[in-house]
Amino acid sequence: MPSFEANGRTYPLPPNPIAVICLDGCADEYLSTAIAQGKMPRLAAMARDGWRGIVRGALPSFTNVNNTCIVTGVAPRVHGICGNFFLNPESGQEVMMNGPEFRRCGTLLTAAADAGRKVAFITAKEKLRTVLGDGVVERGGIVFSSEKVDEAKKETHGIDDAMSIIGKPRPEIYSGDASIYVLEAGAALAEQGVADFLYLSTTDFMQHKFGPEAPEILDFHARIDAAIGRLLDAGCTVALTADHGMNAKNDSEGNPKVIFVESLLKENFGDALRVICPITDPYVVHHGALGSLVMVHLEDPSQRAAIAEFLFNQDGITEVLTREQAVDKLELAPDRIGDLVVLSGRDVVVGKSAEHHDLTVLHGGLRSHGGRYEELVPLVISKPLTPALKRMAEGDPRNFDVFYFICHV
Amino acid sequence: MPSFEANGRTYPLPPNPIAVICLDGCADEYLSTAIAQGKMPRLAAMARDGWRGIVRGALPSFTNVNNTCIVTGVAPRVHGICGNFFLNPESGQEVMMNGPEFRRCGTLLTAAADAGRKVAFITAKEKLRTVLGDGVVERGGIVFSSEKVDEAKKETHGIDDAMSIIGKPRPEIYSGDASIYVLEAGAALAEQGVADFLYLSTTDFMQHKFGPEAPEILDFHARIDAAIGRLLDAGCTVALTADHGMNAKNDSEGNPKVIFVESLLKENFGDALRVICPITDPYVVHHGALGSLVMVHLEDPSQRAAIAEFLFNQDGITEVLTREQAVDKLELAPDRIGDLVVLSGRDVVVGKSAEHHDLTVLHGGLRSHGGRYEELVPLVISKPLTPALKRMAEGDPRNFDVFYFICHV
């Protein structure tokens, strides 16, 4: 069987079109509730006739980190994307990793295109297109975001007039439509035979806003399901996973439960330190840059053990790892993380300081991610697993094995 | 509304009979797969018309620990049951906590009986009856295990001739029948109006043996569902949760992935230490006494930091907490745990030494629990949540809130 290689793994080229969906922020409960309410009949049929299980994402459980894992098939230690932001150790500057130059290996999207596949990579957020889409268009593929679908051009995006092919105008980025559009666009390309190797990555605007039972998200999932149905009807093998889960992070009054780590540390250990919130991105309305993992950078390394112990003693902090431990246990790249990596609990977020985070952007409480309790995510595949894949699924399968799974079923 | 108090919490007395089911070892995937395969129509209807979500159990994610949490409504730090075994700091002996004298607070079963409820507590394993059933029979309730249902007598178990009431002979303890029997017995008592406040706790023999897709466990879940249907049809409000999840713990060849912590430490730090496997119980066929959490006791406390660091550096070890940290972060009782508490990963178990564990009892690989990756479990309730319960469910709800939930819906 023809195959391609990417980052040390071999992927057979499947005989029919494939579509991998990364449903941003899709904690498994969203699927269980939507299925229970009869909103996802096509996904329910996938679970019945194929496979549904739980896979482990990469930490920090953030979007860029895990999307990079998925399109490279490897952990952050290898690809280097350990958050949206990092503190450049050479310049001392906080750097947004918004271009492919920060990634330390190629993607399986370009490898599949090199092997002759008609690759399409469609995202909701423009940032993901720029970080992960490099090289695809040059190889005849298509890459665009629903956020800027109106800017898509043949020479830069591999497609002209995308909106008329899809049959819909550009959606608003702060909406469920931005995600539905991604799947509908993929379905249109598959139906028209323009693409046969699709990666469709949505945005978690809805999941940040709504829990699994909200009527709004049930309606959203019904529309997601209809688009999945179109992909299946177009002959695609479909796999759905997530970059991270999502949890409410509020006290009983509905106010965000936040530990402002930089303020707390400066009060107790002086000013020679800096906290980076690697969830920070241009889309702050989602989460106010508050997630369940931050990096602590110290000017004086001799303070490290004392600060680690102090932090771990705080209520709501669940793990504090040194840089070396985080490389080992969280599979992170040593030069892209802090001297300490700090994780918080299921209902707690960590931030920098009260001034740094604008909580007024949050309406109806905070739902967020980034920590251990958003690490486990669903994987649903429309075909049954082979015996070899079953053995793999019985171990510690990862969300970034999704292309491996779908190419082997 | 009439209510009762137990361990600082108030429980309204619900107007109709209630049945709480602790489905031992029921990782959420079991339910998702069984529902997808159409094997649990009654549970699917509960999820549709009531509520299904994820709750956090207590660590160690073991049976006695979590069953004690559920019947007391409080964490192990309060009730004191932190495993099946502990090292008595006074005697230096390893003690099996197989009697109620080890528990440090009363149960809500006796409190409900005092408030006039007809309580029935039915377990699969006899050990749970002895540890948690005290005081119920004296208050007019019924307590027996399917393992020893033939020994049930009015004066000691609150019921004579239990097998004829249930209509079935005693099941084999190493079987799915031992668990089905628990639910069918509860249904029979509810149907006959003999009990209206039921706690039904099964055994995880099947879950240790089979993953979610095995035909054997799908059949098992179909029978569980039928028994749930009987409880619902008898007018019970039903809540189903689990004591812990379950994961395969094998390498790619299907052999258990074990770290023998005592051997490893003695090689490197000398003999002045002891490892306790608190999963150890008389039912070794389930797991060979291998789980994902062990306690390390040190004769020389000055070694503690070095040993903690050494252990955390081992592949497969995910967390190492000092006694004080474990009291704080895992809500454990300081005198019932080790100097260090050691947790392992999703597919890894920790043990004492190769000699101590008989792996020949394991057929078809090891599935086990005890660690962080078996901490999150399902909660399904047959009635919708009130607004106040919804807010609670949006925080960090626990499996040991199950009686609180069911008494408030």
Side-chain angles (χ1 to χ4, degrees), chain A residues 278-351:
Chain A
I279 195 177
T280 309
D281 74 6
Y283 309 86
V284 289
V285 171
H286 290 204
H287 45 60
L290 290 164
S292 288
L293 184 148
V294 293
M295 306 291 182
V296 179
H297 294 266
L298 305 174
E299 283 175 31
D300 175 8
S302 75
Q303 287 189 309
R304 192 170 77 161
I307 289 178
E309 193 181 347
F310 172 85
L311 281 174
F312 194 53
N313 282 337
Q314 304 300 313
D315 250 13
I317 299 295
T318 48
E319 291 171 78
V320 180
L321 295 98
T322 65
R323 185 191 307 271
E324 299 76 26
Q325 289 168 344
V327 168
D328 194 30
K329 299 294 174 187
L330 310 186
E331 308 165 288
L332 295 174
D335 55 336
R336 294 277 172 85
I337 61 177
D339 298 286
L340 294 171
V341 180
V342 182
L343 288 83
S344 60
R346 188 179 181 201
D347 58 347
V348 180
V349 286
V350 273

Side-chain angles (χ1 to χ4, degrees), chain A residues 54 312 317 329 346 373 375, chain B residues 54 312 317 329 373 375:
Chain A
I54 299 291
F312 194 53
I317 299 295
K329 299 294 174 187
R346 188 179 181 201
Y373 288 96
E375 184 190 21
Chain B
I54 298 291
F312 194 52
I317 300 293
K329 298 295 174 186
Y373 287 96
E375 183 190 22

Side-chain angles (χ1 to χ4, degrees), chain B residues 42 54 84 119 168 227 263:
Chain B
R42 301 301 298 261
I54 298 291
N84 296 329
V119 172
K168 282 193 176 177
S263 306

Side-chain angles (χ1 to χ4, degrees), chain A residues 151-170:
Chain A
E151 297 179 5
K153 289 203 173 57
K154 181 77 184 167
E155 56 189 359
T156 50
H157 298 73
I159 188 169
D160 272 327
D161 211 12
M163 289 186 293
S164 72
I165 289 173
I166 299 154
K168 283 193 175 177
R170 181 173 65 87

Side-chain angles (χ1 to χ4, degrees), chain B residues 272-333:
Chain B
L273 53 87
R274 192 149 27 146
V275 167
I276 303 286
C277 303
I279 194 177
T280 308
D281 75 5
Y283 308 87
V284 290
V285 171
H286 290 202
H287 45 61
L290 290 164
S292 288
L293 183 148
V294 292
M295 306 291 182
V296 180
H297 293 266
L298 306 174
E299 284 175 31
D300 175 7
S302 75
Q303 286 189 310
R304 191 170 78 161
I307 289 178
E309 192 182 348
F310 172 85
L311 280 174
F312 194 52
N313 282 336
Q314 305 300 313
D315 250 13
I317 300 293
T318 48
E319 292 171 77
V320 179
L321 295 97
T322 66
R323 186 191 307 271
E324 299 76 27
Q325 289 168 343
V327 168
D328 195 31
K329 298 295 174 186
L330 310 186
E331 308 165 288
L332 294 174

Side-chain angles (χ1 to χ4, degrees), chain B residues 146 149-150 162-164 166-172 177-178 181 184:
Chain B
S146 61
V149 60
D150 51 330
M163 289 186 293
S164 71
I166 299 154
K168 282 193 176 177
R170 180 172 66 85
E172 163 60 35
D177 290 343
Y181 197 94
E184 290 182 339

